[in-house]
Amino acid sequence: MKLTKPRLALICGILCISIFPILVKLRLTPGLISAFYRMFFAVVLLLPYVIFSGNFKLPKLKFALLAILCGVLFSSDVAVWNIAIQESSATQASLLTNLSPVWVGVGSFFFLKAKPATNFWIGTLVALFGMVTLVGFEFFIDLNFDKAFLFAVLSGILYSIYLLVSKNVLSEVDVLSFMTISLFASSIYLGILCYAIGEPFTGFSNAGWFVLVLQAVICQLCAWLSISYATQHMRATRVSLSLLSQAVITSILAWLFLEEQITLQMVLGGIILLFGIRITFYDKTISLKGLFSKD
């Protein structure tokens, strides 16, 4: 598999977002206000650059409104995911959120011209089986359908809609202009929401503020500039499924920094998950006839 610029950007984005669940799990700030400052600090850092460098181009009204919608969708996704992580476990929240490739595939089938290929569905099933293996089959037996569960599922649905809409916008709007508009919309939307429900905007420790800035720079700007670039040049389904590998990297980081145990089962699940992702990048259609035929 050739490492083109979009694929390298996707790899960079995945690495950057992989630290996000670790930072959220530290619980140094409330989940909703953490989502707000992630967007706010990111747009504060990005806005001067795009203005003074002349890289910001105001798109047509239709695409500007869609970029604003993307900002609302993505910030809602981050907000409910933060809450799901803090009120349950990073494992449950990440697993349910990462079901988004299924929603993306279904959405692409009904709403996009580029339909998911057979390899996508095969890769999806293999990758999801790998994720189930990674977290343990017993997890599904004991799964509690509480608010955290519903928020995690909602996060995956919101993220899949965001990917499908942003794919449409990024076909007409450059990445920097799209990110500026969506982040600005995210900050206003989450700011109003936090104020309305009485979330604290101050009073955090120095470590808390540092983590908020880190989320904005690494998990938002670096990650999503890279992923938006990849989305612009790759299929939304392929980008979404590739992001499942975040679970593997996050598990390694959790082992290093949170002293969480990595078992042989997790390693096996990670290998299966990555193999599923690799299938979606395979150009020739996979079939049982092709596997067993003799040349």
Side-chain angles (χ1 to χ4, degrees), residues 20 30 70 82 137 187 195 214 268 274:
F20 180 66
C70 285
N82 282 6
F137 292 93
S187 301
Y195 179 79
L214 199 63
L268 178 61
L274 292 174

Side-chain angles (χ1 to χ4, degrees), residues 79-247:
V80 296
W81 191 32
N82 282 6
I83 296 171
I85 291 173
Q86 292 189 345
E87 294 196 8
S88 59
S89 67
T91 297
Q92 174 176 309
S94 297
L95 169 66
L96 296 173
T97 296
N98 281 321
L99 290 175
S100 58
V102 176
W103 311 123
V104 171
V106 172
S108 296
F109 181 79
F110 286 106
F111 300 111
L112 295 184
K113 293 181 180 179
K115 307 300 182 184
T118 302
N119 290 1
F120 167 78
W121 298 110
I122 295 173
T124 296
L125 291 175
V126 173
L128 291 177
F129 177 75
M131 180 166 288
V132 172
T133 305
L134 179 71
V135 301
F137 292 93
E138 66 279 359
F139 170 77
F140 288 91
I141 299 175
D142 300 328
L143 191 62
N144 295 317
F145 295 88
D146 53 9
K147 182 176 74 172
F149 170 84
L150 295 175
F151 273 23
V153 172
L154 178 60
S155 174
I157 295 173
L158 288 169
Y159 178 66
S160 64
I161 299 172
Y162 164 80
L163 267 183
L164 293 171
V165 177
S166 65
K167 177 66 177 177
N168 184 31
V169 179
L170 288 167
S171 65
E172 299 289 337
V173 182
D174 66 277
V175 171
L176 285 175
S177 299
F178 168 76
M179 286 290 293
T180 303
I181 295 171
S182 62
L183 282 173
F184 192 74
S186 296
S187 301
I188 294 176
Y189 165 68
L190 286 178
I192 294 174
L193 183 60
C194 289
Y195 179 79
I197 64 176
E199 286 284 296
F201 285 86
T202 58
F204 312 127
S205 65
N206 291 335
W209 285 113
F210 175 74
V211 166
L212 290 175
V213 173
L214 199 63
Q215 288 182 27
V217 175
I218 303 298
C219 306
Q220 186 60 44
L221 282 181
C222 294
W224 290 100
L225 283 172
S226 299
I227 292 173
S228 294
Y229 175 80
T231 303
Q232 190 176 40
H233 298 279
M234 298 172 64
R235 295 175 185 173
T237 50
R238 182 170 288 180
V239 172
S240 177
L241 192 58
S242 298
L243 291 175
L244 286 175
S245 60
Q246 170 210 334

